[in-house]
């Protein structure tokens, strides 16, 4: 292990914060921490670093030194009792080494130097001597040094060989946002995104940029560049002053271009571009490679260079780039920024480029170009201006900028005399509402009155009425409006809207359990579709139908291919929908680790768009319920329920309630199972009110019955199963398999063990060919439990061992732990006198099973955290388990001692 650590990074990255946190943690562990933080003006003051380091050293330790080393050290430390002449440097070294060895006798010693580049030479010389010779004592040194962005670290020359190096990484954007909130900096979303992009994870940069950022939004003419405040300008532009005019011109063109390259700089006429770039690279401002685009050392450098340019310089560069670039979208951007005045031709060209960008899936670029087109549109062209405003609102919705989109659409709706524009504005507002359509009936009704007799306007409004019916749980009305939309779209000759209407009709049929109707509507839609967004929506729906028909492998493959092929072309909501469907498929297939990863990606997409998305939260809750921890799953599911209720989204409300119920069932804890029963009852009630009868809903009937068996309510469980059998009709094999599993548990609970085992074996045999790993694991655990109760130990052991292996391979942590706990019972490690709990153990485990942390248990029982940890460790060993969840399962049938009293 290295005795020295060099922590490095650029200005403001957080080196001092990291060292301060390390010092506090080390002191809490009993380590002696001696710290100094030299400043630039300290570098020429001899022994100042040593003076700061020894400020906490007791005088008694120094007084115990031999006379010569003591006198030298006291002189170096400017001690009032020390000699006035210059210190003997050798004696200073000897004295410091002796002091540190003495301190290290009672506790490890860590020397922290924050700002090592400014440490005075005499102090550095002493520390180098100490580190080289303190091998017999626990003395270590940690130093933080400044390194420019992108530069290689160079530890101080006096550091020993083998010094460990640690780069302080950029902060994740989420942490930067929290930091800005703590600093009470509130910025509009677009400005915040610009701050995050320009700071690139540097907290100091972020705070300073945010403090001077505009609170009313960025001007589109600024090309989303932020003003760099004076406190950062010197850092950003270090090295620019020494460059030639050619190098400076090359940098200015590079900072304005979207994709700057050496050939592009040559094309716009930058003289000696290659030599200029080489000089800028030597100055540490860029990295340049003939085969790749030019990259700035840090985004702050680019922003600072842009801020140094005059308006005339910028327009001149944009004018030359407009001619030189090949991409028409980029050329349109340069055209608009080169010609700031109103011009109809420029506006038309730029808006056409915005539509191209949208078609490529680049919603942000589409919005920026549309805003530029608006500014170039002559004020007298009212109709064209409103049409472009609505295009801008549409693009902003694609980009997840719903507040901007709604503001624009409402402005047009309030003032426009055009029926078409008023209907378009309402359609944009309906898109902005996302899943929260419950309170937007008026928009649809008013729009239909305006659009009466115009099929091309009626069709999209009827489609939104169908989607609203779907989300609010009125499947009958949703189907009626979907058919109306499809008929209007056919009369209008709008193939895209026909596809959308048929796709919605397929969803209605699927939710109603009418698989044939769903397949028929989907097939009709796919005949009309191309490979664009509509076609991708249909491919996603086809995958979902495959999933609900137990063709899980097909669903996983199709959804993964859809994500790969769509890239950035799909909007936020479409991408979230695909990721949610993929999480469902991965969970059913037993790819629980992949499901957690996909759910995290889904959450990131939603968060980047500023959404509190019920579908994304549901997906995360589902992934954690089957592959993570119950606590995290419950937290996410509760948030999903709240978000769905806020949106009036019945579809994801029932799904989120169902997963909340499953979480309670999987814990095995009676209190949480009882809570799960209530959640499952609510999910089933919502589904019944909607007329939903799809496979997922019927699977929840089986979950509810299983939970009721756990609570001993076998009669209620039997009633639930009879109701489910009556609704099942022609369902895929997973549905009768789930019902068989629940019925087998009911039979076993009533003492009919052979009948229960037979039903469970039947369930397992139905599931084996389907590739539904977690469903099979659940059935095998139930079968193993019944076989154990029937005293068929060998059969129980074999079944449970298979279940545990399958669950571990799948990453299904809750089920692997449950299988392990059941195996422990089979092997006699639970249930007998040797495993009965003492009163103290019972009190601790009772709280643990209720979800309390070790610290909370200790506080409630007035014992130490170590006592709690020690008790749990002994119980893990006794019951052959490795986690709190597995212990909870193992304890469900453990007797408590008669003398137990509860707090």
């Amino acid at each position: 292990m290295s005795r020295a650590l060099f922590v490095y990074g650029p200005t403001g990255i957080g080196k001092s914060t990291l060292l301060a946190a390390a010092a506090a943690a080390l002191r809490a562990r009993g380590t002696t921490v001696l710290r100094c933080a030299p400043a630039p003006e300290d570098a020429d003051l001899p022994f100042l670093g040593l003076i700061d380091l020894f400020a906490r050293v007791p005088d008694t330790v120094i007084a115990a030194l031999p006379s010569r080393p003591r006198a030298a050290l006291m002189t170096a430390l400017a001690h009032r009792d020390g000699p006035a002449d210059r210190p003997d440097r050798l004696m200073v070294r000897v004295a410091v080494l002796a002091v540190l060895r003495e301190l290290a006798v009672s506790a490890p010693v860590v020397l922290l130097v924050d700002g090592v580049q400014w440490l005075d030479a005499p102090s550095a010389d002493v520390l180098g001597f100490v580190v080289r010779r303190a091998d017999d004592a626990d003395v270590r040194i940690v130093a933080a040094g400044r390194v420019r962005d992108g530069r290689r670290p160079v530890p101080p020359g006096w550091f020993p060989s083998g010094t460990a190096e640690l780069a302080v990484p950029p902060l994740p954007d989420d942490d930067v946002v929290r930091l800005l909130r703590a600093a009470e900096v509130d910025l509009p979303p677009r400005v915040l995104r610009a701050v995050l992009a320009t700071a690139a994870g540097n907290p100091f940069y972020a705070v300073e940029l945010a403090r001077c950022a505009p609170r009313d939004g960025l001007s589109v003419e600024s090309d989303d560049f932020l003003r760099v405040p004076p406190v950062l300008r010197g850092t950003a532009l270090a090295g620019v002053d020494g460059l030639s005019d050619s190098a400076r011109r090359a940098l200015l063109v590079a900072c304005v271009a979207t994709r700057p390259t050496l050939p592009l700089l040559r094309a716009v006429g930058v003289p000696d571009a290659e030599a200029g770039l080489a000089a800028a690279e030597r100055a540490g401002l860029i990295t340049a490679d003939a085969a790749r685009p030019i990259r700035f050392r840090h985004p702050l450098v680019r922003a600072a260079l842009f801020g140094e340019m005059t308006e005339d310089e910028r327009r001149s560069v944009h004018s030359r780039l407009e001619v030189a670039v090949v991409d028409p979208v980029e050329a349109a951007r340069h055209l608009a920024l080169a010609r700031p005045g109103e011009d109809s031709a420029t506006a038309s060209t730029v808006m056409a480029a915005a539509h191209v960008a949208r078609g490529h899936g680049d919603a942000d670029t589409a919005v920026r170009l549309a805003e530029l087109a608006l500014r170039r549109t002559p004020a007298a062209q009212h109709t064209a201006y409103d049409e472009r405003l609505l295009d801008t609102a549409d693009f902003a919705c694609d980009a997840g900028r719903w507040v901007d989109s709604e503001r624009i659409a409402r402005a047009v709706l309030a003032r426009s005399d055009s029926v078409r524009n008023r209907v378009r504005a309402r359609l944009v507002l309906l898109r902005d509402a996302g899943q929260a359509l419950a309170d937007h009936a008026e928009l649809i009704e008013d729009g239909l009155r305006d659009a009466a007799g115009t099929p091309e306007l009626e069709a999209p409004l009827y489609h939104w009425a169908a989607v609203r019916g779907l989300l609010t749980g009125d499947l009958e009305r949703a189907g009626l409006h979907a058919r109306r939309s499809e008929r209007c779209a056919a009369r209008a000759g709008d193939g895209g809207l026909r596809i959308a209407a048929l796709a919605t009709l397929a969803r209605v049929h699927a939710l109603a359990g009418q698989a044939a109707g769903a397949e028929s509507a989907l097939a009709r839609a796919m005949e009309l579709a191309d490979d664009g967004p509509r076609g991708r929506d249909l491919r996603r729906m086809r995958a979902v139908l495959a999933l609900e028909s137990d063709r899980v492998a097909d669903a996983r493959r199709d959804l993964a291919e859809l994500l790969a092929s769509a890239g950035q072309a799909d909007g936020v909501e479409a991408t979230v929908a695909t990721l949610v469907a993929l999480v469902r498929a991965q969970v059913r297939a037993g790819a629980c680790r992949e499901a957690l990863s996909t759910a995290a990606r889904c959450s990131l997409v939603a968060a980047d768009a500023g959404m509190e998305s019920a579908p994304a939260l549901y997906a995360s809750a589902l992934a954690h319920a089957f592959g993570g921890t119950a606590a995290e799953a419950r937290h996410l599911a509760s948030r999903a329920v709240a978000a769905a209720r806020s949106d009036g989204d019945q579809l994801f409300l029932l799904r989120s309630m169902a997963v909340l119920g499953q979480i309670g069932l999987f814990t095995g804890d009676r209190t949480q199972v009882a809570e799960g029963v209530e959640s499952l009852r609510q999910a089933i009630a919502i589904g019944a009110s909607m007329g939903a009868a799809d496979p997922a809903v019927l699977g929840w009937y089986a979950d509810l019955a299983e939970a009721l068996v756990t609570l001993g309510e076998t009669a209620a469980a039997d009633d639930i199963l009879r109701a489910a059998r009556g609704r099942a009709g022609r369902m895929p094999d997973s549905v009768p398999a789930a019902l068989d599993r629940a019925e087998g548990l009911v039979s076993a609970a009533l003492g009919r063990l052979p009948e229960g085992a037979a039903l469970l074996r039947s369930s397992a045999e139905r599931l084996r060919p389907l590739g539904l790993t977690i469903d099979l694991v659940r059935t095998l655990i139930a079968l193993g439990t019944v076989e154990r109760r029937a005293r068929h130990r060998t059969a129980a052991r074999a079944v449970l061992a298979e279940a545990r292996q399958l669950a571990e391979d799948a990453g299904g942590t809750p089920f692997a732990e449950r299988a392990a706990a059941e195996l422990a019972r089979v092997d006699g490690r639970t249930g007998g006198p040797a495993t009965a709990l003492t009163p103290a153990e019972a009190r601790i485990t009772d709280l643990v099973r209720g979800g309390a942390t070790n610290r909370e248990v200790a506080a409630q029982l007035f014992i130490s955290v170590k006592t709690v940890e020690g008790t749990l460790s002994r119980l893990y060993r006794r019951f052959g388990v490795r986690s709190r969840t597995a212990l909870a399962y193992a304890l469900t049938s453990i007797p408590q001692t008669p003398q137990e009293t509860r707090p």
Side-chain angles (χ1 to χ4, degrees):
M1 183 176 178
S2 177
R3 302 180 65 82
L5 171 65
F6 178 54
V7 179
Y8 65 91
T11 300
I13 199 64
K15 301 181 297 297
S16 296
T17 301
L18 180 62
L19 259 62
L26 288 167
R27 288 188 180 113
R29 288 163 49 186
T31 301
T32 299
V33 178
L34 306 180
R35 185 173 182 270
C36 71
E41 56 270 23
D42 299 340
D44 295 328
L45 300 176
F47 293 112
L48 186 58
L50 196 62
I51 292 170
D52 289 344
L53 283 170
F54 269 56
R56 289 175 174 265
V57 175
D59 289 343
T60 54
V61 177
I62 298 175
L65 292 171
S67 59
R68 286 188 62 198
R70 182 179 68 249
L73 179 58
M74 293 175 73
T75 300
L77 298 180
H79 200 287
R80 63 183 181 182
D81 297 327
D85 55 352
R86 290 187 177 182
D88 181 329
R89 292 202 174 188
L90 175 59
M91 289 297 102
V92 172
R93 296 176 185 176
V94 170
V96 170
L97 181 58
V99 167
L100 295 178
R101 280 177 171 155
E102 177 61 25
L103 293 174
V105 170
S106 56
V109 176
V110 174
L111 308 174
L112 290 183
V113 182
D114 185 7
V116 71
Q117 67 272 17
W118 294 309
L119 183 66
D120 62 276
S123 295
D125 185 51
V126 171
L127 294 182
F129 177 87
V130 166
V131 173
R132 289 191 300 272
R133 287 168 175 77
D135 290 343
D136 57 341
D138 193 353
V139 177
R140 303 179 189 279
I141 184 164
V142 178
R146 179 177 297 179
V147 177
R148 287 182 64 185
D149 288 290
R151 289 294 178 93
R152 293 288 301 165
V154 180
W158 49 270
F159 262 45
S161 59
T163 291
E165 296 177 1
L166 174 65
V168 180
L171 275 183
D173 283 350
D174 287 349
D175 290 338
V176 175
V177 170
R178 281 191 285 271
L179 177 68
L180 295 178
R181 285 175 182 161
E184 298 183 349
V185 177
D186 188 21
L187 300 173
R190 187 169 175 179
V191 178
L192 177 60
R193 286 194 294 270
V195 167
L196 295 175
T198 308
N202 187 302
F204 176 60
Y205 295 175
V207 170
E208 294 302 326
L209 287 166
R211 280 175 177 161
C212 70
R215 296 301 189 267
D216 56 351
L218 290 171
S219 165
V220 67
E221 306 292 349
S222 72
D223 210 15
D224 279 0
F225 280 102
L226 291 168
R227 184 176 71 85
V228 177
V231 70
L232 298 179
R233 193 171 295 130
T235 299
L237 297 177
V240 172
D241 288 344
L243 296 178
S244 65
D245 287 343
S246 174
R248 291 171 66 90
R249 288 180 63 185
L251 286 177
L252 295 181
V253 173
C255 86
V256 170
T258 302
R259 185 181 167 84
T261 61
L262 178 58
L264 180 62
L265 266 60
R266 289 171 177 157
V268 299
V270 175
D272 298 323
E274 191 165 7
L277 290 178
E281 188 167 22
R282 286 193 299 272
L285 296 164
I286 61 168
T287 57
D289 185 320
R292 289 194 293 268
I294 298 160
R295 290 187 300 111
F296 284 90
R297 165 175 56 82
H298 193 279
L300 188 73
V301 176
R302 188 176 178 218
L305 284 167
F306 184 85
E308 294 293 298
M309 299 173 72
T310 66
E311 287 292 332
D312 287 343
E313 284 178 321
R314 291 174 191 163
R315 289 174 190 165
S316 173
V317 171
H318 282 301
S319 182
R320 284 181 285 151
L321 284 169
E322 174 205 344
V323 178
V325 298
V326 176
D327 178 29
V329 172
E330 186 178 355
R333 180 177 74 88
H334 292 304
L335 167 67
L337 293 171
R339 304 179 187 180
E342 292 181 357
D343 179 76
S344 183
T346 297
S348 296
T349 299
V350 176
M351 184 55 80
H355 282 281
V356 172
R358 184 198 200 183
H360 292 161
D362 190 352
D364 286 327
T365 296
V367 173
R368 285 196 293 272
L369 289 172
E371 289 173 340
L372 285 168
L374 282 171
R375 285 175 169 263
R376 305 302 179 261
T377 301
Q381 296 179 359
H382 301 296
T383 301
Y385 189 80
D386 279 353
E387 289 174 353
R388 286 171 183 159
L389 266 177
L390 290 170
D391 284 341
T392 305
D394 239 353
F395 301 156
C397 184
D398 290 339
R401 291 166 50 182
W402 294 288
V403 174
D404 293 339
S405 179
E406 181 176 352
R407 173 180 51 77
I408 294 168
R410 290 202 179 279
V412 174
L413 183 61
R415 71 161 183 258
S416 179
D417 295 328
S418 163
V419 168
R420 184 173 300 275
N421 281 347
R422 288 202 305 274
V423 170
R424 277 196 66 195
R426 292 188 179 97
L427 292 172
V428 171
L429 291 170
L430 289 166
R431 284 193 68 208
D432 290 332
Q435 304 285 117
L437 288 174
D439 298 329
H440 288 73
E442 187 178 344
L443 280 174
I444 298 171
E445 292 163 1
D446 290 348
L448 285 170
R449 279 194 290 271
D450 268 354
T454 311
E456 63 267 29
L457 298 180
E458 290 177 313
L461 288 164
Y462 278 127
H463 175 249
W464 278 107
V467 173
R468 181 177 177 275
L470 188 67
L471 293 176
T472 56
D474 192 341
L475 295 186
E476 183 178 354
R477 189 172 294 275
L480 174 66
H481 287 314
R483 293 184 185 91
R484 285 175 173 170
S485 177
E486 197 265 335
R487 288 195 296 270
C488 288
R491 289 200 298 272
D494 191 329
L497 274 172
R498 283 191 70 192
I499 292 168
L502 287 167
T504 300
L505 186 59
R507 289 182 69 192
V508 172
H509 282 308
L511 271 173
Q514 300 162 356
E519 294 285 358
S520 173
L522 184 60
R524 289 170 59 199
M526 296 195 77
E527 289 175 1
L528 301 169
D530 56 18
D531 292 330
R534 300 285 191 192
R536 290 194 291 274
D537 286 345
L538 296 177
R539 287 169 60 193
R540 179 175 61 251
M541 182 167 296
R542 183 177 63 189
V544 171
L545 291 178
L547 174 62
E548 293 175 350
S549 299
D550 291 346
R551 303 196 310 275
V552 179
D554 293 344
R556 284 181 70 192
R557 182 193 64 242
D558 291 349
L559 290 166
E561 289 177 357
L562 179 58
L563 283 169
S565 63
Q568 300 298 317
D570 278 344
V572 172
E573 289 187 356
T575 302
V576 167
T578 303
L579 290 166
V580 170
L582 183 56
V583 169
R584 292 179 60 201
Q586 288 167 337
V587 164
R588 295 200 71 199
C592 297
R593 296 184 189 89
E594 291 179 30
L596 287 168
S597 176
T598 303
R601 177 181 173 188
C602 184
S603 297
L604 186 61
V605 170
D608 284 347
M611 297 169 64
E612 179 75 348
S613 166
L617 288 166
Y618 157 76
S620 292
L622 182 68
H624 279 275
F626 283 79
T629 65
E632 181 64 13
R634 188 178 296 104
H635 170 69
L636 290 163
S638 299
R639 287 178 60 197
V641 166
R645 281 182 172 147
S646 175
D647 291 345
D649 182 349
Q650 293 292 97
L651 182 58
F652 275 95
L653 177 58
L654 74 90
R655 288 180 177 174
S656 302
M657 291 299 300
V659 78
L660 194 57
Q662 289 174 322
I663 294 161
L665 169 62
F666 298 161
T667 63
D669 177 80
R670 288 182 64 85
T671 301
Q672 295 183 44
V673 172
E675 293 173 354
V677 163
E678 292 309 309
S679 296
L680 287 165
R681 285 191 191 279
Q682 290 182 54
I684 288 170
I686 294 167
S689 70
M690 293 172 62
D694 59 317
V697 171
L698 291 169
W700 301 332
Y701 277 80
D703 290 334
L704 176 57
E706 185 176 340
L708 288 167
V709 170
T710 303
L711 298 177
E713 299 178 24
T714 52
D718 201 39
D719 290 342
I720 288 291
L721 289 173
R722 277 201 301 274
R725 297 279 189 195
R727 301 190 66 191
R730 297 180 60 186
M731 281 284 153
D733 280 350
S734 62
V735 173
L739 296 174
D740 282 351
R741 179 177 64 239
E743 193 168 335
L745 288 169
V746 171
S747 295
L750 293 171
R752 302 193 296 267
L753 296 179
E755 181 183 331
L759 283 165
L760 290 164
R761 280 192 289 269
S762 170
S763 174
E765 291 312 307
R766 281 181 183 271
L767 291 168
R768 286 190 187 278
L770 302 180
L772 305 179
T773 302
I774 298 300
D775 283 4
L776 177 59
V777 166
R778 291 179 62 187
T779 297
L780 291 175
I781 291 172
L783 177 58
T785 303
V786 172
E787 295 283 28
R788 176 184 59 79
R789 290 178 56 199
R791 301 185 183 279
H792 301 155
R793 291 179 179 272
T794 301
R797 188 179 294 108
V799 169
L800 291 168
E802 181 187 2
R804 182 175 64 178
Q805 189 62 58
L806 286 171
E808 288 176 350
D809 291 345
T813 304
F815 308 101
E817 292 174 340
R818 185 168 183 177
E822 290 294 340
L823 268 173
R825 292 183 182 181
V826 172
D827 292 334
R829 295 199 296 268
T830 68
T835 55
L837 301 182
T838 67
E841 290 171 342
R843 286 192 291 270
I844 290 172
T845 56
D846 199 33
L847 291 170
V848 166
R849 291 166 67 187
T853 65
N854 290 357
R855 190 173 296 279
E856 289 167 344
V857 173
Q860 188 158 342
L861 299 182
F862 301 101
I863 57 178
S864 70
V865 174
K866 287 190 175 181
T867 298
V868 178
E869 292 171 347
T871 301
L872 290 177
S873 296
R874 287 194 301 274
L875 290 172
Y876 290 166
R877 290 193 298 272
R878 189 191 310 174
F879 293 111
V881 297
R882 291 178 290 180
S883 72
R884 295 157 68 98
T885 305
L887 180 63
Y889 282 120
L891 292 172
T892 53
S893 66
I894 301 304
Q896 296 169 335
T897 55
Q899 68 269 31
E900 179 188 0
T901 57
R902 295 181 183 276

